[in-house]
Amino acid sequence: MSPHISFRGVTKRFPVKGTEFTAVDGIDLDVARGEFLVLVGPSGCGKSTLLDLLGGLTSASEGEILLDDVPITGPGLDRGIVFQQYALLPWRTAQGNVEFGLEATGVPRRQRAERAREFLNLVGLTGFEDRHPHQLSGGMRQRVAIARSLAYDPAVLLMDEPFAALDAQTRESLQDELVRIWQRTGKTIVFITHAIDEAVLLGQRVAVLTSRPGRVKEVVPIDLGDRRGTGDPRSSPEFARYRHRIWDLLHDEVTRAQQLEKEVVGR
Amino acid sequence: MTALLEARPATRTTPVAIRPQRTRRALDALLTGVGKSVAIVALLVVWEAAPRLGLVDATFLPSFSTVLGAWWDLLVSGQLLENTQASLARSLAGFGLAVAGAVPLGLLIGWYKPVATVLGPLLEVFRNTAALALLPVFVLLLGIGETSKIAIVFYACTWPILLNTISAVGGVDPTLLRLAKSMNLGGFRLFQKVILPAAVPTVFTGIRLAGAVSILVLVAAEMIGAKAGLGYLINASQYNFAIPQMYAGIITISAIGVLFNQVLVSVERRFTSWRVPVGA
């Protein structure tokens, strides 16, 4: 079976003050259908650039990204993005925000309301349909955003540090929920984070990126056993082992990233 | 003492605890009401007392009750209504035209960034030119009739609306634009579903400013050449040394200004109810 998403020598350069800045360099990576892949890397390693490329918001300087063997040339509703800052329309209710994505796909009005309710239910927000974003907590807002992305049924879910702005408890419960949703919907998920725990907990594979320019340092397969188990996976010895492994891989990169930042500031 | 208080049965403390809470809430409402009106009441008291105590010349500043009497006479004679109607018609016509013209224009300019860049400095010049400085020009070109008065109100109201609308379009949350882009939402639909609703609050700020400006500018215009209107009433009363009538005209204008602003605020609330926490 061919991979669902395939990065082939993807490089992205930005012009900065007359010179060029390489954000990501020669990324080769395959994501299988229905896989949960986590990209983890130090700040400024081009994680978000990779996601923008996948979303079709920018185009690669070199190489290409294939989605179902077809190169990505622009944005499309076959990919749903969940942003860190929720990106909810403040003038719409939770229901209206989920319907927003459905309007874009041209789902008939009556079906829209029904589908929106169904997906709000999936993320556990039944009873909150008529609330505006400012009446919801951060965790609930992100749930609405997830429901919105799922409702128009994209093949791939792209998540850009979606839980970074949440408090620890909310983050944990949303992580568990996301795994449950992923298992139920069977979507391919590409998840970006800088948190090692989150990467180990969520990913079937974790791709560790190097600091500037972003390259794939190593892809670590994660096996925590049955994820539907009732125990706390965060406290298992395997979890600690994976966590340490990725910490090791990241450690040098973080130091290097800090060095680079100092150089930039000191210039 | 404390031991005695603590020893009271719980059943008795519950209703006692509720009653002071309710009274406190009523007291709070009363206090805010008093707090909000205290300054105005103080002003009126000083206005009433100063001429009576001979602190100021009652000829030039008649007491508030005298002014109220003159106001009542003007109302009964129908003069007040006639002049208010004349003023409101001009004011609303100029204001309405400005809203109808400047909002769409502002949306267009804001949407096409190059246009905003080119027109920006020009708009800045116009905005900072006092509208009343141009009044002679308007009179010169349009005569002293209704046209020039409506035109000057229209002109003065245009700038706050236009500039606020342009910045409203420019100030749309970039995350929302990224979201729309990721959903392949472009052109008209992006405008209708994202930009326009996001711009509404800032546009309304401009409209409210324009509401105040419309009355401000009109009254001044009516003082220069008019046969009716509140500005005319004030000016004519002063010429005829009908000082209480002059003050009656002035307080009418303040009242209209406050009322107009209140109307605009409540319209704004209706359109932007999603910003105000409902029931929270």
Side-chain angles (χ1 to χ4, degrees), chain A residues 126-149:
Chain A
T126 298
F128 292 91
E129 292 91 347
D130 296 329
R131 300 284 188 97
H132 280 95
H134 71 86
Q135 298 168 308
L136 298 171
S137 67
M140 285 172 155
R141 287 181 207 177
Q142 197 56 288
R143 283 167 195 259
V144 175
I146 291 171
R148 173 177 63 196
S149 299

PDB file of all heavy atoms in Angstrom, chain A residues 126-149:
ATOM      1  N   THR A 126     -22.085  18.263  23.797  1.00  0.00           N
ATOM      2  CA  THR A 126     -23.547  18.316  23.716  1.00  0.00           C
ATOM      3  C   THR A 126     -24.062  19.199  24.849  1.00  0.00           C
ATOM      4  O   THR A 126     -23.619  19.071  25.982  1.00  0.00           O
ATOM      5  CB  THR A 126     -24.130  16.903  23.828  1.00  0.00           C
ATOM      6  OG1 THR A 126     -23.637  16.142  22.726  1.00  0.00           O
ATOM      7  CG2 THR A 126     -25.646  16.921  23.769  1.00  0.00           C
ATOM      8  N   GLY A 127     -24.968  20.105  24.488  1.00  0.00           N
ATOM      9  CA  GLY A 127     -25.490  21.035  25.490  1.00  0.00           C
ATOM     10  C   GLY A 127     -24.798  22.389  25.445  1.00  0.00           C
ATOM     11  O   GLY A 127     -25.217  23.327  26.086  1.00  0.00           O
ATOM     12  N   PHE A 128     -23.707  22.475  24.676  1.00  0.00           N
ATOM     13  CA  PHE A 128     -22.985  23.750  24.572  1.00  0.00           C
ATOM     14  C   PHE A 128     -23.096  24.346  23.170  1.00  0.00           C
ATOM     15  O   PHE A 128     -22.352  25.251  22.819  1.00  0.00           O
ATOM     16  CB  PHE A 128     -21.507  23.559  24.932  1.00  0.00           C
ATOM     17  CG  PHE A 128     -21.293  23.233  26.379  1.00  0.00           C
ATOM     18  CD1 PHE A 128     -21.251  21.919  26.809  1.00  0.00           C
ATOM     19  CD2 PHE A 128     -21.149  24.248  27.312  1.00  0.00           C
ATOM     20  CE1 PHE A 128     -21.065  21.617  28.152  1.00  0.00           C
ATOM     21  CE2 PHE A 128     -20.963  23.946  28.652  1.00  0.00           C
ATOM     22  CZ  PHE A 128     -20.919  22.636  29.071  1.00  0.00           C
ATOM     23  N   GLU A 129     -24.032  23.821  22.361  1.00  0.00           N
ATOM     24  CA  GLU A 129     -24.126  24.228  20.962  1.00  0.00           C
ATOM     25  C   GLU A 129     -24.322  25.726  20.798  1.00  0.00           C
ATOM     26  O   GLU A 129     -23.809  26.323  19.853  1.00  0.00           O
ATOM     27  CB  GLU A 129     -25.295  23.508  20.271  1.00  0.00           C
ATOM     28  CG  GLU A 129     -25.100  22.010  20.089  1.00  0.00           C
ATOM     29  CD  GLU A 129     -25.635  21.203  21.253  1.00  0.00           C
ATOM     30  OE1 GLU A 129     -25.923  21.806  22.311  1.00  0.00           O
ATOM     31  OE2 GLU A 129     -25.760  19.970  21.117  1.00  0.00           O
ATOM     32  N   ASP A 130     -25.096  26.330  21.718  1.00  0.00           N
ATOM     33  CA  ASP A 130     -25.466  27.727  21.526  1.00  0.00           C
ATOM     34  C   ASP A 130     -24.528  28.709  22.221  1.00  0.00           C
ATOM     35  O   ASP A 130     -24.791  29.902  22.252  1.00  0.00           O
ATOM     36  CB  ASP A 130     -26.901  27.957  22.031  1.00  0.00           C
ATOM     37  CG  ASP A 130     -27.895  27.153  21.211  1.00  0.00           C
ATOM     38  OD1 ASP A 130     -27.610  26.943  20.012  1.00  0.00           O
ATOM     39  OD2 ASP A 130     -28.919  26.718  21.775  1.00  0.00           O
ATOM     40  N   ARG A 131     -23.427  28.191  22.763  1.00  0.00           N
ATOM     41  CA  ARG A 131     -22.492  29.095  23.431  1.00  0.00           C
ATOM     42  C   ARG A 131     -21.570  29.748  22.416  1.00  0.00           C
ATOM     43  O   ARG A 131     -21.160  29.123  21.451  1.00  0.00           O
ATOM     44  CB  ARG A 131     -21.641  28.319  24.427  1.00  0.00           C
ATOM     45  CG  ARG A 131     -22.424  27.625  25.517  1.00  0.00           C
ATOM     46  CD  ARG A 131     -22.903  28.606  26.575  1.00  0.00           C
ATOM     47  NE  ARG A 131     -23.493  27.902  27.696  1.00  0.00           N
ATOM     48  CZ  ARG A 131     -22.827  27.613  28.814  1.00  0.00           C
ATOM     49  NH1 ARG A 131     -21.578  27.979  28.945  1.00  0.00           N
ATOM     50  NH2 ARG A 131     -23.416  26.964  29.789  1.00  0.00           N
ATOM     51  N   HIS A 132     -21.240  31.001  22.695  1.00  0.00           N
ATOM     52  CA  HIS A 132     -20.235  31.686  21.883  1.00  0.00           C
ATOM     53  C   HIS A 132     -18.850  31.354  22.440  1.00  0.00           C
ATOM     54  O   HIS A 132     -18.729  31.027  23.627  1.00  0.00           O
ATOM     55  CB  HIS A 132     -20.482  33.192  21.908  1.00  0.00           C
ATOM     56  CG  HIS A 132     -21.559  33.623  20.972  1.00  0.00           C
ATOM     57  ND1 HIS A 132     -22.867  33.793  21.378  1.00  0.00           N
ATOM     58  CD2 HIS A 132     -21.544  33.893  19.646  1.00  0.00           C
ATOM     59  CE1 HIS A 132     -23.599  34.159  20.345  1.00  0.00           C
ATOM     60  NE2 HIS A 132     -22.826  34.225  19.276  1.00  0.00           N
ATOM     61  N   PRO A 133     -17.805  31.472  21.619  1.00  0.00           N
ATOM     62  CA  PRO A 133     -16.464  31.113  22.098  1.00  0.00           C
ATOM     63  C   PRO A 133     -16.074  31.769  23.421  1.00  0.00           C
ATOM     64  O   PRO A 133     -15.457  31.124  24.268  1.00  0.00           O
ATOM     65  CB  PRO A 133     -15.556  31.582  20.957  1.00  0.00           C
ATOM     66  CG  PRO A 133     -16.401  31.444  19.745  1.00  0.00           C
ATOM     67  CD  PRO A 133     -17.801  31.772  20.176  1.00  0.00           C
ATOM     68  N   HIS A 134     -16.450  33.042  23.617  1.00  0.00           N
ATOM     69  CA  HIS A 134     -16.029  33.701  24.858  1.00  0.00           C
ATOM     70  C   HIS A 134     -16.724  33.115  26.084  1.00  0.00           C
ATOM     71  O   HIS A 134     -16.334  33.399  27.217  1.00  0.00           O
ATOM     72  CB  HIS A 134     -16.245  35.213  24.784  1.00  0.00           C
ATOM     73  CG  HIS A 134     -17.686  35.620  24.823  1.00  0.00           C
ATOM     74  ND1 HIS A 134     -18.377  35.812  25.991  1.00  0.00           N
ATOM     75  CD2 HIS A 134     -18.570  35.856  23.838  1.00  0.00           C
ATOM     76  CE1 HIS A 134     -19.616  36.153  25.739  1.00  0.00           C
ATOM     77  NE2 HIS A 134     -19.765  36.184  24.429  1.00  0.00           N
ATOM     78  N   GLN A 135     -17.749  32.303  25.859  1.00  0.00           N
ATOM     79  CA  GLN A 135     -18.435  31.660  26.985  1.00  0.00           C
ATOM     80  C   GLN A 135     -17.891  30.266  27.249  1.00  0.00           C
ATOM     81  O   GLN A 135     -18.415  29.554  28.090  1.00  0.00           O
ATOM     82  CB  GLN A 135     -19.937  31.561  26.685  1.00  0.00           C
ATOM     83  CG  GLN A 135     -20.602  32.912  26.519  1.00  0.00           C
ATOM     84  CD  GLN A 135     -21.989  32.781  25.934  1.00  0.00           C
ATOM     85  OE1 GLN A 135     -22.169  32.148  24.899  1.00  0.00           O
ATOM     86  NE2 GLN A 135     -22.967  33.365  26.584  1.00  0.00           N
ATOM     87  N   LEU A 136     -16.876  29.863  26.484  1.00  0.00           N
ATOM     88  CA  LEU A 136     -16.309  28.521  26.639  1.00  0.00           C
ATOM     89  C   LEU A 136     -14.895  28.613  27.195  1.00  0.00           C
ATOM     90  O   LEU A 136     -14.193  29.592  26.975  1.00  0.00           O
ATOM     91  CB  LEU A 136     -16.275  27.810  25.274  1.00  0.00           C
ATOM     92  CG  LEU A 136     -17.622  27.576  24.591  1.00  0.00           C
ATOM     93  CD1 LEU A 136     -17.402  27.083  23.166  1.00  0.00           C
ATOM     94  CD2 LEU A 136     -18.467  26.587  25.367  1.00  0.00           C
ATOM     95  N   SER A 137     -14.472  27.567  27.904  1.00  0.00           N
ATOM     96  CA  SER A 137     -13.096  27.520  28.397  1.00  0.00           C
ATOM     97  C   SER A 137     -12.157  27.193  27.241  1.00  0.00           C
ATOM     98  O   SER A 137     -12.594  26.785  26.172  1.00  0.00           O
ATOM     99  CB  SER A 137     -12.987  26.443  29.468  1.00  0.00           C
ATOM    100  OG  SER A 137     -13.174  25.176  28.873  1.00  0.00           O
ATOM    101  N   GLY A 138     -10.867  27.367  27.480  1.00  0.00           N
ATOM    102  CA  GLY A 138      -9.878  27.103  26.436  1.00  0.00           C
ATOM    103  C   GLY A 138      -9.987  25.684  25.891  1.00  0.00           C
ATOM    104  O   GLY A 138      -9.954  25.461  24.684  1.00  0.00           O
ATOM    105  N   GLY A 139     -10.147  24.728  26.785  1.00  0.00           N
ATOM    106  CA  GLY A 139     -10.256  23.336  26.368  1.00  0.00           C
ATOM    107  C   GLY A 139     -11.484  23.107  25.505  1.00  0.00           C
ATOM    108  O   GLY A 139     -11.427  22.405  24.494  1.00  0.00           O
ATOM    109  N   MET A 140     -12.599  23.726  25.901  1.00  0.00           N
ATOM    110  CA  MET A 140     -13.831  23.583  25.130  1.00  0.00           C
ATOM    111  C   MET A 140     -13.686  24.228  23.758  1.00  0.00           C
ATOM    112  O   MET A 140     -14.178  23.707  22.764  1.00  0.00           O
ATOM    113  CB  MET A 140     -14.990  24.230  25.875  1.00  0.00           C
ATOM    114  CG  MET A 140     -15.472  23.423  27.060  1.00  0.00           C
ATOM    115  SD  MET A 140     -16.662  24.417  27.967  1.00  0.00           S
ATOM    116  CE  MET A 140     -17.598  23.126  28.752  1.00  0.00           C
ATOM    117  N   ARG A 141     -13.006  25.357  23.706  1.00  0.00           N
ATOM    118  CA  ARG A 141     -12.807  26.027  22.419  1.00  0.00           C
ATOM    119  C   ARG A 141     -12.043  25.121  21.477  1.00  0.00           C
ATOM    120  O   ARG A 141     -12.378  24.998  20.300  1.00  0.00           O
ATOM    121  CB  ARG A 141     -12.016  27.329  22.604  1.00  0.00           C
ATOM    122  CG  ARG A 141     -12.841  28.401  23.243  1.00  0.00           C
ATOM    123  CD  ARG A 141     -12.053  29.669  23.396  1.00  0.00           C
ATOM    124  NE  ARG A 141     -12.593  30.420  24.515  1.00  0.00           N
ATOM    125  CZ  ARG A 141     -12.098  31.556  24.969  1.00  0.00           C
ATOM    126  NH1 ARG A 141     -11.032  32.071  24.402  1.00  0.00           N
ATOM    127  NH2 ARG A 141     -12.644  32.159  25.979  1.00  0.00           N
ATOM    128  N   GLN A 142     -10.990  24.480  22.022  1.00  0.00           N
ATOM    129  CA  GLN A 142     -10.205  23.622  21.152  1.00  0.00           C
ATOM    130  C   GLN A 142     -11.022  22.408  20.726  1.00  0.00           C
ATOM    131  O   GLN A 142     -10.868  21.909  19.615  1.00  0.00           O
ATOM    132  CB  GLN A 142      -8.890  23.228  21.836  1.00  0.00           C
ATOM    133  CG  GLN A 142      -7.836  22.687  20.911  1.00  0.00           C
ATOM    134  CD  GLN A 142      -7.488  23.619  19.760  1.00  0.00           C
ATOM    135  OE1 GLN A 142      -8.270  23.791  18.824  1.00  0.00           O
ATOM    136  NE2 GLN A 142      -6.322  24.240  19.811  1.00  0.00           N
ATOM    137  N   ARG A 143     -11.922  21.953  21.591  1.00  0.00           N
ATOM    138  CA  ARG A 143     -12.816  20.859  21.200  1.00  0.00           C
ATOM    139  C   ARG A 143     -13.695  21.280  20.030  1.00  0.00           C
ATOM    140  O   ARG A 143     -13.915  20.508  19.096  1.00  0.00           O
ATOM    141  CB  ARG A 143     -13.721  20.454  22.361  1.00  0.00           C
ATOM    142  CG  ARG A 143     -13.040  19.613  23.418  1.00  0.00           C
ATOM    143  CD  ARG A 143     -13.910  19.536  24.650  1.00  0.00           C
ATOM    144  NE  ARG A 143     -13.159  19.049  25.791  1.00  0.00           N
ATOM    145  CZ  ARG A 143     -13.231  17.792  26.230  1.00  0.00           C
ATOM    146  NH1 ARG A 143     -14.025  16.937  25.638  1.00  0.00           N
ATOM    147  NH2 ARG A 143     -12.503  17.411  27.244  1.00  0.00           N
ATOM    148  N   VAL A 144     -14.206  22.508  20.091  1.00  0.00           N
ATOM    149  CA  VAL A 144     -15.035  23.017  18.990  1.00  0.00           C
ATOM    150  C   VAL A 144     -14.213  23.027  17.701  1.00  0.00           C
ATOM    151  O   VAL A 144     -14.675  22.590  16.646  1.00  0.00           O
ATOM    152  CB  VAL A 144     -15.572  24.440  19.288  1.00  0.00           C
ATOM    153  CG1 VAL A 144     -16.312  24.999  18.084  1.00  0.00           C
ATOM    154  CG2 VAL A 144     -16.473  24.432  20.502  1.00  0.00           C
ATOM    155  N   ALA A 145     -12.972  23.509  17.815  1.00  0.00           N
ATOM    156  CA  ALA A 145     -12.111  23.581  16.630  1.00  0.00           C
ATOM    157  C   ALA A 145     -11.854  22.179  16.064  1.00  0.00           C
ATOM    158  O   ALA A 145     -11.832  21.989  14.841  1.00  0.00           O
ATOM    159  CB  ALA A 145     -10.792  24.267  16.980  1.00  0.00           C
ATOM    160  N   ILE A 146     -11.678  21.207  16.951  1.00  0.00           N
ATOM    161  CA  ILE A 146     -11.452  19.832  16.490  1.00  0.00           C
ATOM    162  C   ILE A 146     -12.716  19.311  15.805  1.00  0.00           C
ATOM    163  O   ILE A 146     -12.655  18.718  14.717  1.00  0.00           O
ATOM    164  CB  ILE A 146     -11.035  18.922  17.671  1.00  0.00           C
ATOM    165  CG1 ILE A 146      -9.630  19.321  18.155  1.00  0.00           C
ATOM    166  CG2 ILE A 146     -11.032  17.448  17.256  1.00  0.00           C
ATOM    167  CD1 ILE A 146      -9.205  18.647  19.454  1.00  0.00           C
ATOM    168  N   ALA A 147     -13.876  19.594  16.424  1.00  0.00           N
ATOM    169  CA  ALA A 147     -15.142  19.157  15.819  1.00  0.00           C
ATOM    170  C   ALA A 147     -15.316  19.788  14.439  1.00  0.00           C
ATOM    171  O   ALA A 147     -15.750  19.134  13.491  1.00  0.00           O
ATOM    172  CB  ALA A 147     -16.309  19.544  16.720  1.00  0.00           C
ATOM    173  N   ARG A 148     -14.957  21.055  14.332  1.00  0.00           N
ATOM    174  CA  ARG A 148     -15.084  21.741  13.050  1.00  0.00           C
ATOM    175  C   ARG A 148     -14.224  21.065  11.979  1.00  0.00           C
ATOM    176  O   ARG A 148     -14.657  20.845  10.856  1.00  0.00           O
ATOM    177  CB  ARG A 148     -14.659  23.213  13.182  1.00  0.00           C
ATOM    178  CG  ARG A 148     -14.605  23.930  11.853  1.00  0.00           C
ATOM    179  CD  ARG A 148     -14.261  25.388  12.011  1.00  0.00           C
ATOM    180  NE  ARG A 148     -12.929  25.579  12.571  1.00  0.00           N
ATOM    181  CZ  ARG A 148     -12.512  26.727  13.091  1.00  0.00           C
ATOM    182  NH1 ARG A 148     -13.316  27.758  13.138  1.00  0.00           N
ATOM    183  NH2 ARG A 148     -11.298  26.823  13.569  1.00  0.00           N
ATOM    184  N   SER A 149     -12.982  20.729  12.355  1.00  0.00           N
ATOM    185  CA  SER A 149     -12.088  20.116  11.376  1.00  0.00           C
ATOM    186  C   SER A 149     -12.545  18.723  10.991  1.00  0.00           C
ATOM    187  O   SER A 149     -12.350  18.303   9.856  1.00  0.00           O
ATOM    188  CB  SER A 149     -10.668  20.047  11.930  1.00  0.00           C
ATOM    189  OG  SER A 149     -10.203  21.340  12.190  1.00  0.00           O
TER     190      SER A 149
END
